[in-house]
């Protein structure tokens, strides 16, 4: 009997400087806390989609880990938070395909390893989107138009080259809906448009700010509202495409 794919939400464990910040402690603490809340929001959406998903952070004392634990505790999902020693390393199988392996710690101290995962969700701007997929042979660069689209509406969530690798915004208000988008796709209930449509940027919102390939919330909520409205419309269109195609599963579950 087939099962649904396993997913791991990797909350980026960026180093937090201990030196005083010129912007004040609240600004220095805001980014890792936001990643923790964003990762939790994405996980809640994935679990609500009926998927076997966990959240992973490196080191148990960080702000991101505490924020994720606090948020997941409110939903009764704190048991889905896994803490691994730093640093986190993400490895892909041959050709950059599943299964994905997540390890924490150094070889000298015996790294801890998660069970193989069928898909990975990265939170925020994450080095693992490319170089940290160690063990993946270097392939040809993507076409220029696809590389440009990597920062667009679809490419901001769906990795343009690696099936089963996704990312969500570090803004919790956006990470939750993006997690639902991923969940609908992985379940086969949403189907992406053709690559030509994605490359042309159909569905991208004019004037919406993007930073590092991720939509960011500016001062005020107008841009976020436009993005979320466009996302809701695109999910409805993808539901119709999936229905016509017979609900194909894009990320098959592994064995066992």
């Amino acid at each position: 009997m087939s099962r649904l794919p396993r997913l791991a939400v990797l909350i980026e464990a960026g180093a937090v400087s201990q030196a005083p910040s010129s912007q004040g402690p609240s600004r220095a603490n805001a980014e890792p806390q936001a990643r923790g809340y964003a990762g939790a929001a994405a996980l809640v959406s994935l679990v609500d989609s009926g998927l076997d998903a966990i959240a992973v952070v490196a080191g148990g004392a960080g702000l991101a880990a505490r924020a994720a634990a606090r948020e997941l505790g409110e939903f009764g999902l704190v048991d889905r938070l896994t803490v691994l020693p730093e640093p986190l390393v993400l490895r892909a199988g041959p050709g950059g395909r599943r299964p994905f392996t997540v390890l924490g710690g150094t070889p000298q101290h015996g790294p801890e390893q998660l069970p193989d995962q069928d898909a990975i969700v990265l939170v925020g701007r994450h080095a693992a989107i490319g170089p940290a997929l160690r063990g993946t042979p270097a392939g040809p660069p993507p076409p220029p138009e696809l590389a440009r689209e990597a920062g667009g509406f679809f490419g901001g969530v769906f990795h343009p080259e690696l099936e089963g690798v996704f990312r969500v915004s570090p803004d919790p208000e956006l990470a939750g809906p993006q997690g639902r988008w991923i969940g609908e796709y992985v379940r086969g209930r949403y189907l992406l448009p053709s690559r030509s449509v994605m490359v042309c940027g159909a569905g991208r919102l004019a004037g919406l700010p993007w930073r590092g390939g991720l939509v960011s919330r500016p001062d005020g909520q107008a841009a976020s509202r436009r993005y979320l409205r466009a996302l809701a419309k695109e999910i409805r269109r993808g539901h119709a495409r999936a229905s016509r195609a017979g609900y194909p599963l894009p990320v098959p579950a592994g064995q066992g």
Side-chain angles (χ1 to χ4, degrees):
M1 182 176 179
S2 63
R3 62 167 177 80
L4 289 171
R6 284 193 295 250
L7 293 88
V9 179
L10 302 191
I11 301 172
E12 183 177 5
V16 180
S17 173
Q18 300 303 311
S21 170
S22 61
Q23 297 178 331
S26 60
R27 289 290 296 276
N29 294 342
E31 186 177 353
Q33 286 180 334
R35 286 198 302 270
Y37 285 121
L43 181 72
V44 169
S45 293
L46 292 166
V47 172
D48 283 348
S49 296
L51 292 164
D52 182 10
I54 60 172
V56 183
V57 294
L63 293 169
R66 293 201 299 271
R70 189 158 54 246
E71 184 78 0
L72 290 173
E74 295 181 6
F75 290 90
L77 296 175
V78 72
D79 60 323
R80 289 181 178 263
L81 179 62
T82 297
V83 179
L84 293 179
E86 294 181 301
L88 287 183
V89 174
L90 173 62
R91 292 197 177 105
R97 295 181 176 87
R98 66 175 186 89
F100 299 97
T101 303
V102 182
L103 302 97
T106 60
Q108 295 88 340
H109 297 88
E112 298 182 25
Q113 179 176 330
L114 288 180
D116 285 344
Q117 301 293 313
D118 300 304
I120 297 293
V121 180
L122 306 171
V123 180
R125 291 197 302 173
H126 201 300
I129 201 73
L133 282 169
R134 298 170 189 174
T136 302
E145 66 274 12
L146 187 58
R148 286 195 297 271
E149 177 60 20
F153 186 81
F154 296 100
V157 173
F158 297 84
H159 194 285
E161 299 172 80
L162 301 176
E163 178 60 79
V165 177
F166 311 94
R167 57 183 171 181
V168 296
S169 169
D171 183 336
E173 293 185 22
L174 302 180
Q178 288 172 337
R180 175 175 176 261
W181 191 10
I182 295 167
E184 293 294 280
Y185 174 76
V186 172
R187 289 293 306 267
R189 298 187 295 218
Y190 167 90
L191 185 63
L192 284 165
S194 66
R195 175 162 291 198
S196 62
V197 170
M198 291 191 287
V199 169
C200 290
R204 190 184 303 180
L205 301 180
L208 190 64
W210 298 86
R211 295 177 184 172
L214 293 164
V215 63
S216 61
R217 184 175 61 182
D219 293 336
Q221 301 296 315
S224 292
R225 288 196 295 269
R226 288 199 302 272
Y227 175 80
L228 293 174
R229 284 197 297 268
L231 177 54
K233 290 179 181 178
E234 171 52 31
I235 290 176
R236 288 196 294 272
R237 289 191 290 263
H239 283 165
R241 290 191 294 266
S243 176
R244 292 192 295 269
Y247 299 104
L249 287 174
V251 183
Q255 300 299 317

